[in-house]
Amino acid sequence: MKNDELPMLLTPKDVKEYLDISHDQVYRLFRSKKFPAERSGKGKYIIPKPRFLKWLGVENN
């Protein structure tokens, strides 16, 4: 998946597929204080695409 194919709000599933990591790893990442994710009003984990790409050190192209 390319950066421009990512949705504007990424879910754990999107991050899992992009980083090619396990289910457990992605949820550890989302719970980490170092990962800039948040919870939506429905309690689901999300991360805005620009914040995710910045965390990766990648420009938003």
Side-chain angles (χ1 to χ4, degrees):
M1 181 181 296
K2 296 180 183 176
N3 295 347
D4 59 344
E5 296 173 345
L6 290 169
M8 288 308 294
L9 281 177
L10 286 84
T11 65
K13 180 182 176 187
D14 299 319
V15 173
K16 177 184 181 301
E17 290 174 4
Y18 185 84
L19 297 178
D20 191 28
I21 60 177
S22 74
H23 177 84
D24 290 340
Q25 288 172 313
V26 78
Y27 278 96
R28 272 195 299 266
L29 182 63
F30 269 82
R31 288 185 207 112
S32 166
K33 295 193 185 298
K34 294 181 181 182
F35 190 65
E38 56 193 69
R39 289 221 180 205
S40 70
K42 297 180 182 180
K44 304 224 181 223
Y45 285 113
I46 56 170
I47 183 168
K49 176 181 171 178
R51 196 181 304 168
F52 176 66
L53 294 176
K54 183 177 179 182
W55 178 82
L56 284 174
V58 177
E59 291 209 23
N60 188 10
N61 297 345

